[in-house]
Amino acid sequence: MKRTMRWAAVPAAALAAGLGLCAAPAQADQAPRADYQAIAHPVVGRVGETVEVELGVRNGGPGPAGGRPGHGAGTYEVTPPPGTAIVAAPHSGARQPCAAAVSPDAAPGSYICSIGENFSAGERDTLSFRVRIDGKVDGAEGLVRILARDGEPSTDPDPGNDTAPIRVEVVDRTPEPPRPASPHTNSTLLLATTSGTAVSAGAIAFGVSRRKR
């Protein structure tokens, strides 16, 4: 009887150890994750004008961004609105984090940008894009879109804010102020006014003299 109980205790100990091993990944999976939030400001200016627009991403927390050392904390795509064009890839000091998108399904004129490492909760990683307004297109919108890492499942707790529209506000040109009259025009007008006044005065004097006679 004792032998039976001893052999039964061995599987029980192994089962308890197995449960302990399975519980460790579950606890690790409960670590706070980073909520990536796309940032987009509108393109505001006149047709033909080149303006600066801040675009990028924010780590809404509560956890830090993941990523392997040396590979950054992820990437995002910037697609300019119809009727506009990104004139140059942004620079951030010695770092050039953006490159023209070359994949077959990429939108024309779009860029892929990398997010810097050590992307802590509450921080922003944005760049100043120079955007040229080529024409007014009603309802035109571009897009900032956070991309999933290749071969890695998305861990973003709120994927609904992973995109943000880039809107366009075309400002009409202000009317030009009236030009001042040239000096030649002023002198001519003054001469005409003076001559007319003199003629009127002469006519009045002539009428008075006739009445005296």
Side-chain angles (χ1 to χ4, degrees), residues 55-148:
L55 307 170
V57 61
R58 177 180 182 272
N59 180 0
R68 293 173 295 173
H71 291 77
T75 57
Y76 60 93
E77 181 183 34
V78 174
T79 302
T84 70
I86 298 174
V87 298
H91 286 70
S92 179
R95 171 174 168 257
Q96 184 173 350
C98 297
V102 295
S103 62
D105 57 344
S110 62
Y111 280 78
I112 304 296
C113 303
S114 63
I115 304 171
E117 295 184 8
N118 302 321
F119 193 30
S120 302
E123 290 186 345
R124 297 159 62 101
D125 191 301
T126 59
L127 294 168
S128 182
F129 288 75
R130 289 182 59 79
V131 181
R132 186 183 66 240
I133 305 174
D134 295 327
K136 184 176 181 179
V137 179
D138 293 336
E141 284 189 357
L143 192 68
V144 175
R145 180 170 65 100
I146 298 170
L147 304 176

